[in-house]
Amino acid sequence: MRKEDNKMNKTRQERADAYYTAKEQIVATLTQIANRIHNPLLAEHKVPEQIVAHDITKLKQAHMKLREMADILGIETQALEI
C-alpha cells in the first residue's frame, strides 16, 4: 500500500473510532440521567407537599434541552405534556 492510502485509512479509522466513542458516551450519560431521575438520591426525594413551581420549571428546561439534542441528531421527540 502506498503511504497516502495508509494515511487515509488511519484517518478514516480515527473518525470511526471518534464517532462510536461519542455515541457510547452519549448513551452512558443519558442512562446515568435516566437512572438518577427514576431513582433520585434520598436527599432529592420529594413528597407532594415539597414540590414547588421551580421543580417543574427545572424539569421543563431539562426536557427542552434533551429535545434540542435529539433535534441535532435528527430524532423526533414528543413535547412535554404538563
Side-chain angles (χ1 to χ4, degrees):
M1 248 192 238
R2 294 184 333 186
K3 192 173 182 179
E4 272 181 23
D5 290 339
N6 280 339
K7 186 176 180 181
M8 207 164 64
N9 285 339
K10 183 179 178 190
T11 300
R12 188 176 299 141
Q13 186 60 49
E14 287 171 349
R15 271 193 221 133
D17 291 346
Y19 176 81
Y20 291 114
T21 298
K23 285 177 62 172
E24 288 173 8
Q25 289 175 359
I26 289 169
V27 169
T29 301
L30 288 171
T31 301
Q32 184 180 6
I33 291 168
N35 286 336
R36 183 69 171 269
I37 290 169
H38 188 66
N39 295 311
L41 300 174
L42 282 178
E44 297 171 349
H45 278 266
K46 291 192 180 267
V47 294
E49 303 82 45
Q50 295 174 309
I51 298 170
V52 295
H54 180 69
D55 297 324
I56 297 166
T57 300
K58 284 192 325 186
L59 290 174
K60 286 180 177 180
Q61 289 172 341
H63 186 263
M64 185 171 43
K65 288 183 182 209
L66 287 170
R67 289 192 74 200
E68 289 172 4
M69 187 179 85
D71 189 51
I72 289 168
L73 298 171
I75 300 168
E76 194 171 316
T77 56
Q78 292 181 338
L80 190 61
E81 296 181 21
I82 57 171

